[in-house]
Amino acid sequence: MDFKKIVAHCKEYGFIFQSSEIYDGLSATYDYGPNGVELKNNIKKYWWMAMVQMHENIVGLDAAIFMHPKTWKASGHVDAFNDPLVDNKDSKKRYRADVLVEDYMAKIEAKIKKDVDKARKRFDDFDEEMFKKTNGRIVARQEEIDKISNRLATAMTDGNMEEMYQMIMDLGIACPVSGSKNWTEVRQFNLMFSTQLGNIAGSEGKLYLRPETAQGIFVNYLNVQKSTRQKLPFGIAQIGKAFRNEIVARQFIFRMREFEQMEMQYFIKPGTQKKWFDYWKDARMTWHKNLGIPADKYRFHDHANLAHYADAATDIEFDFPFGMKELEGIHSRTDFDLKAHEELSGKKLQYFDPETNENYVPYVLETSIGADRMFLAVMSSTLQEETVPDAKGNDSTRIVMKLHPAIAPVKVAILPLLKNREELTSKARAVFDKLKLSFNCQYDEKDAVGRRYRRQDAIGTPFCVTIDFDTLEDDTVTIRERDSMEQTRVKIDEIAGIVGEKVAMKSLFE
Ligand code: ATP
């Protein structure tokens, strides 16, 4: 579905609102509405179950957002958590220089895709890989992408802002708004938000809002290890808010200034990082695929040039409405963070290995996914417009969210056939009161039943239960399934079993 339609749907059906909308909103900040908070909670629950409940050696943590300012010195965020900023002098618009270059490469990639799609139509048994390797024009385009990509990675790793500027000039990149190439120099911009402790004046009292949840885990790793008597390898999982003063934030909940991360740090013996990197790549991809989202929406993107703390890294990218973008990162962070905290705090952060009788600082393998980006991935890939027959057998369109029943905001809707017949509504209320003990249910009596079905389809409710006059006679109801729209007659006592089997989180693990 078109991106604009998805955003409009999110507002209309109470998933996501612009923050402080009555004051014209606050840019890159969003609020989750009644259906949004349910869906987001379910995504978080699925992640937590997969990490904590399914692994005896992974435990949870909920660290504070504020941390001692030295934390961010040790982690490298004070000195190096920067994005390259550039302004267009004519439009006065601000951009991330690396994103301008990435967009330039994406345009070349789109041309390659166009050529491939054309060729696929021409040949019967089309071999895409072979075609990409042998077609002269595509090979040249791919070489150009690789060359730019390497140049960009080197400039970013070196923090070389003159080179970033030179790239924009050499590639002839123009401002998408003004069309001009009249750029300022490129400068580093630190992404951390800061605030001030009330009782300490000046720089001594300067605090940061955490830009990632990971550091709360690192500084607590020995507390957790000792209090839960873990042996390596073991993991700590955490879900919580993070804050980044993003330069450009124009893609709805994809890039926000306040967002939520689901991170897991896995503490391992040095030397075993390759094994665990492969393990977590595989485990995380399985987690995504079990949601039933088509596999071709995902791909790995291994990093060629690594961040200062990593010895291997990959992104799980997702086919968002605006292209393949990072959804989750898997990083082999070595002992960078723990060693840095040891140094700056002067406290030993070593683990005593009872098997080898040695003390050492563990290595860390991290998986890090944005809850909001995952929300957008689910929303954009499951929301569909479908042509279906209406009550009279004519074609009509319905908007339906075909998401896995276990993460649906509402599990069952209870619908009395007519709202002005007390015997129907009181019976429906009785069914609702019974089912709400087990599931998030909705009672709806307004409009014709067909309209009510469509409203539930639009928020992804897997089951609708209709109470009619037969119900009063024999305690049976019609239960309608969202995707097939099939209706079956069942006993009231059977509803909980039918719904329960489909919406249980455990169905995502079986
Ligand atoms: P990007 O390159 O898109 O800025 P990143 O590489 O800086 O992302 P990480 O620091 O690896 O991201 O953070 C881990 C995860 O947190 C990301 O994969 C993403 O899902 C999420 N995330 C990061 N920044 C944001 C943001 N501004 N808004 C929403 N989610 C975010």
Side-chain angles (χ1 to χ4, degrees), residues 128-142:
E128 180 173 332
E129 283 315 303
M130 186 55 98
F131 181 72
K132 280 180 168 167
K133 267 191 223 145
T134 51
N135 180 286
R137 200 157 63 168
I138 290 186
V139 171
R141 283 190 168 136
Q142 190 56 50

Side-chain angles (χ1 to χ4, degrees), residues 280-291:
W280 282 108
K281 265 178 85 167
D282 191 51
R284 292 305 303 144
M285 196 53 113
T286 304
W287 182 88
H288 285 284
K289 290 188 179 156
N290 284 353
L291 271 179

Side-chain angles (χ1 to χ4, degrees), residues 244 246 254-256 259 261 326-328 368 370 373:
R244 296 183 187 178
E246 299 279 0
F254 179 82
R255 191 175 298 289
M256 300 198 284
F259 58 100
Q261 288 187 315
E326 172 178 343
L327 168 61
E328 169 158 11
S368 172
R373 279 194 197 174

